[in-house]
Amino acid sequence: MPDLGEQAVSKVTELGIKSQLDEVETLDVEIETDPLKIMTGAVDSVAIEGEGMVMKQDLRIEKMELNTGAVAINPLSVAFGKIELAHPTEAEAIVTLTEADINRAFNSDFVREKMQNLDVHVNGEPATVDMQKIEFGLPGEGKVSLATDVLLQASQERKHVAFTAVPKISESGQQVVLENVEPTDNQELSPELTEALLNQSKELLNLRNFELEGMSLQLKRLDVQTGRMILESEAIVHQFPS
């Protein structure tokens, strides 16, 4: 019979999570159970807390907390470096993003490439444009701000696009969408340039970007504060990362 101590199960889970991250500053996995119960694969709860986690698309998470209820695992799976669940378990997940985290993602190579050579209309005329550095802000009052300089390729003219918006949970519960867009510098916004920024925000704030292997999230609450955004979700854990 493999060693099914809490420490062994914690270490296997921790290594599995780290294998999916580009970077992580701290990661702590706490297993709560009775020594006799764990021999049969019964775990009372699992608590995972990570800080400075860098996921796909260079998206950094300031903090992630995941807490499960009772979990049933296959005792033999631990011997092979895995944590196989006998059946899916429910959990709560809290993800904290800072203004700097989201700015970093907006200006990653992955996103910057998608914001070049955009065919749009500017002042009613077709144009091909490149978006320069994107500035994302969390100024408070439940709003976000977005600003960028746009380079018109043909004339090399630059235009500034800046607006505020209110983040909301999408109907699917899978994304954060931006609504109630208002320009911040009294100039008429290009609908297509604005839409490009809004779509990129929605793509970055898609819950799939925060899901670890074997986990699915459903966003239930969004707390937008000055300098940070907190996403509270219900999670279904099918398997722990291995």
Side-chain angles (χ1 to χ4, degrees):
M1 178 67 68
D3 177 11
L4 279 185
E6 294 176 13
Q7 188 173 4
V9 177
S10 297
K11 193 63 177 178
V12 170
T13 305
E14 179 184 322
L15 291 174
I17 294 172
K18 284 183 175 179
S19 71
Q20 294 192 29
L21 304 173
D22 291 338
E23 299 174 31
V24 60
E25 292 172 11
T26 63
L27 182 64
D28 185 48
V29 179
E30 294 288 341
I31 305 294
E32 292 289 340
T33 192
D34 181 274
L36 295 177
K37 290 166 67 176
I38 200 171
M39 295 301 293
T40 64
V43 173
D44 293 332
S45 66
V46 179
I48 299 170
E49 183 173 315
E51 296 184 1
M53 303 168 70
V54 179
M55 318 278 287
K56 49 193 163 186
Q57 299 179 16
D58 204 27
L59 180 56
R60 181 185 181 276
I61 296 173
E62 175 72 9
K63 188 174 183 179
M64 174 183 279
E65 301 170 77
L66 180 76
N67 295 283
T68 77
V71 177
I73 66 175
N74 175 359
L76 293 176
S77 67
V78 181
F80 298 97
K82 297 181 179 181
I83 302 294
E84 292 181 356
L85 301 189
H87 50 75
T89 188
E90 296 181 353
E92 294 181 350
I94 301 175
V95 171
T96 300
L97 302 171
T98 67
E99 185 176 274
D101 294 334
I102 304 175
N103 259 310
R104 166 179 168 151
F106 262 116
N107 291 286
S108 65
D109 290 341
F110 176 82
V111 173
R112 287 178 67 85
E113 288 177 7
K114 299 176 69 173
M115 306 304 278
Q116 310 303 304
N117 298 310
L118 297 176
D119 293 321
V120 300
H121 280 76
V122 178
N123 298 328
E125 298 292 330
T128 301
V129 304
D130 298 331
M131 287 196 183
Q132 309 297 302
K133 181 178 180 180
I134 297 172
E135 297 180 359
F136 179 94
L138 291 166
E141 299 182 350
K143 293 183 178 182
V144 305
S145 63
L146 276 164
T148 184
D149 287 324
V150 179
L151 177 68
L152 281 64
Q153 291 186 5
S155 64
Q156 292 297 293
E157 180 186 359
R158 292 180 183 271
K159 290 185 175 293
H160 190 65
V161 177
F163 59 84
T164 63
V166 178
K168 302 284 187 182
I169 301 172
S170 67
E171 290 186 8
S172 67
Q174 292 298 304
Q175 293 171 313
V176 175
V177 295
L178 301 184
E179 300 178 351
N180 304 330
V181 175
E182 295 182 357
T184 56
D185 50 11
N186 297 318
Q187 70 175 18
E188 184 177 350
L189 291 174
S190 163
E192 290 173 292
L193 292 175
T194 302
E195 189 68 19
L197 278 173
L198 292 175
N199 285 338
Q200 196 55 58
S201 300
K202 185 166 66 174
E203 187 170 327
L204 280 178
L205 297 174
N206 189 315
L207 286 192
R208 286 176 298 180
N209 294 329
F210 308 105
E211 292 175 349
L212 298 169
E213 176 188 346
M215 177 198 304
S216 58
L217 298 175
Q218 186 78 14
L219 186 57
K220 293 301 180 184
R221 184 171 178 268
L222 180 63
D223 184 9
V224 182
Q225 305 174 1
T226 303
R228 66 181 55 228
M229 182 183 295
I230 301 172
L231 292 71
E232 298 183 14
S233 305
E234 291 181 356
I236 301 295
V237 182
H238 302 276
Q239 294 295 338
F240 285 110
S242 59

